[in-house]
């Protein structure tokens, strides 16, 4: 029984953050029998970050899977302004077991061989939803770190190693391992085989979210439709088109050299995203926006990942601020960011 003068023990809380990303190169291959498209991509982590707080809540252990999720827009962020003006909806984010943070938490508990002790996960969002910048993957990476430290300390066991977390991350999604790593890296396979590459000079970008998201599977289906060939033997007898055996091109050495040198012009000339054309077919106004950003002073622009967020490369922080101001005058949300940024990390542990 607690004495009236005693304060209840504080619940353990661990907070972690993880970066958004863009792809400076994204080369796609034909899907394998399991439906995954092999990739060769050059990831760049951005200083726009998602934050996940994990709190030990023993009472939750007796409810469902023992995990609850809440979400709020990060205070003062461009995403909060998008929510306020109705161009983004927090209701688009699932709060059930389909959210990657729940899958991450359950996987950590299983790997630690510890029953779920009751965990409340709170997501502070700054990365647009379904925008091709890996916001959900960043949430998962941050949750992996936060829950690993929270549950290991609670159970009195050693936390999982970085290698263990990377292995779990690869089961959660193609971008999640990179969100743990950060910086700049080549991703191969489904994107989970990573090789860090030098990027010593900061790159300045402006990201422009859209009022509507794009479904990643829908964008890939568009790519598939553009890369089909008719089986000459089957077609006359009513056979269906079959996918051509496209192998993703490797990330070119000259792209890596431009990144390592911080050469904005050389890099701009070599950015390539095989999913950009499919995204534009689904959302044609993206092409107009890409041209408009260059007219306003960007060196070049591209669709981030599967879209529909658009990234513009500029020469300096001042140029980024000017481009954001120009978009603001047009009542269009834009965010100045830099890369590379650090990967997922613990920000507080109480």
């Amino acid at each position: 029984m607690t004495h009236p003068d005693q304060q209840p023990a504080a619940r353990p809380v661990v907070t972690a953050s993880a970066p958004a990303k863009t792809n400076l190169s994204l080369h796609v291959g034909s899907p394998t029998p399991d439906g995954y498209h092999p990739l060769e991509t050059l990831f760049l982590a951005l200083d726009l970050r998602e934050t996940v707080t994990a709190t030990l809540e023993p009472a939750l252990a007796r409810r469902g899977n023992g995990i609850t999720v809440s979400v709020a827009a990060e205070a003062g962020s461009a995403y909060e302004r998008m929510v306020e003006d109705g161009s983004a909806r927090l209701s688009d984010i699932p709060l059930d077991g389909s959210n990657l943070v729940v899958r991450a938490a359950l996987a950590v508990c299983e790997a630690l061989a510890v029953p779920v002790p009751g965990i409340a996960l709170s997501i502070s969002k700054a990365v647009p939803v379904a925008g091709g910048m890996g916001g959900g993957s960043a949430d998962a990476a941050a949750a992996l770190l936060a829950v690993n430290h929270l549950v290991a300390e609670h159970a009195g066991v050693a936390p999982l190693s970085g290698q263990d977390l990377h292995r779990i991350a690869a089961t959660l999604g193609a971008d999640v391992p990179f969100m743990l790593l950060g910086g700049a890296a080549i991703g191969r396979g489904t994107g989970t085989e990573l090789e860090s590459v030098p990027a010593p000079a900061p790159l300045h970008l402006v990201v422009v979210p859209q009022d509507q998201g794009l479904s990643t599977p829908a964008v890939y289906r568009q790519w598939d439709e553009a890369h089909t060939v008719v089986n000459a033997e089957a077609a006359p007898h009513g056979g269906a088109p079959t996918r051509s055996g496209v192998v993703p091109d490797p990330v070119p050495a000259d792209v890596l050299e431009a990144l390592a040198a911080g050469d904005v012009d050389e890099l701009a000339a070599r950015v390539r995203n095989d999913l950009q054309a499919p995204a534009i077919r689904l959302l044609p106004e993206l092409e107009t926006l890409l041209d408009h950003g260059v007219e306003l002073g960007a060196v070049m622009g591209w669709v981030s990942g599967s879209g529909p967020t658009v990234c513009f490369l500029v020469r300096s922080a001042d140029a980024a601020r000017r481009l954001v101001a120009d978009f603001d005058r047009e009542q269009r949300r834009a965010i100045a960011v830099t890369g590379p940024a650090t990967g997922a990390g613990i920000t507080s542990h109480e």
Side-chain angles (χ1 to χ4, degrees), residues 86-261:
S87 59
R89 297 184 302 273
L90 290 173
S91 59
D92 290 339
I93 302 165
L95 303 181
D96 58 13
S98 66
N99 193 304
L100 282 180
V101 298
V102 176
R103 292 175 54 196
L106 291 173
V108 166
C109 291
E110 181 179 4
L112 289 170
V114 174
V116 178
I119 304 168
L121 297 174
S122 175
I123 302 170
S124 179
K125 283 207 68 65
V127 181
V129 178
M133 297 182 69
S137 296
D139 292 338
L144 285 173
L145 281 186
V147 173
N148 183 36
H149 283 75
L150 182 79
V151 174
E153 183 177 272
H154 165 73
V157 299
L160 300 174
S161 67
Q163 186 176 6
D164 290 334
L165 292 177
H166 180 95
R167 177 183 53 78
I168 295 172
T171 70
L172 297 174
D175 297 335
V176 183
F178 175 70
M179 303 314 195
L180 288 173
L181 178 65
I186 295 172
R188 300 185 176 93
T190 57
T192 59
E193 303 165 25
L194 298 173
E195 176 190 348
S196 293
V197 298
L203 294 176
H204 299 279
L205 301 93
V206 171
V207 297
V208 183
Q210 305 306 298
D211 290 349
Q212 65 183 95
L214 278 179
S215 159
T216 297
V219 175
Y220 274 103
R221 282 194 295 271
Q222 284 287 320
W223 186 93
D224 289 342
E225 290 174 9
H227 294 82
T228 55
V229 293
V230 175
N231 183 317
E233 295 181 0
H237 307 289
T242 59
R243 292 187 178 94
S244 58
V246 177
V247 176
D249 295 329
V251 175
D254 53 8
V255 174
L256 301 178
E257 291 166 2
L259 180 62

Side-chain angles (χ1 to χ4, degrees), residues 21-22 46 48 82 127-134 206-214 273 276 279 283 286 289-290 301-312 333-335:
K21 62 84 186 173
T22 189
L46 305 174
L48 187 65
M82 292 171 64
V127 181
V129 178
M133 297 182 69
V206 171
V207 297
V208 183
Q210 305 306 298
D211 290 349
Q212 65 183 95
L214 278 179
N273 179 5
Q276 179 164 306
L283 206 60
L286 293 177
L289 175 59
L290 287 165
W302 66 95
V303 174
S304 183
S306 58
T309 299
V310 170
C311 290
F312 291 103
R333 295 295 183 198
I335 311 166

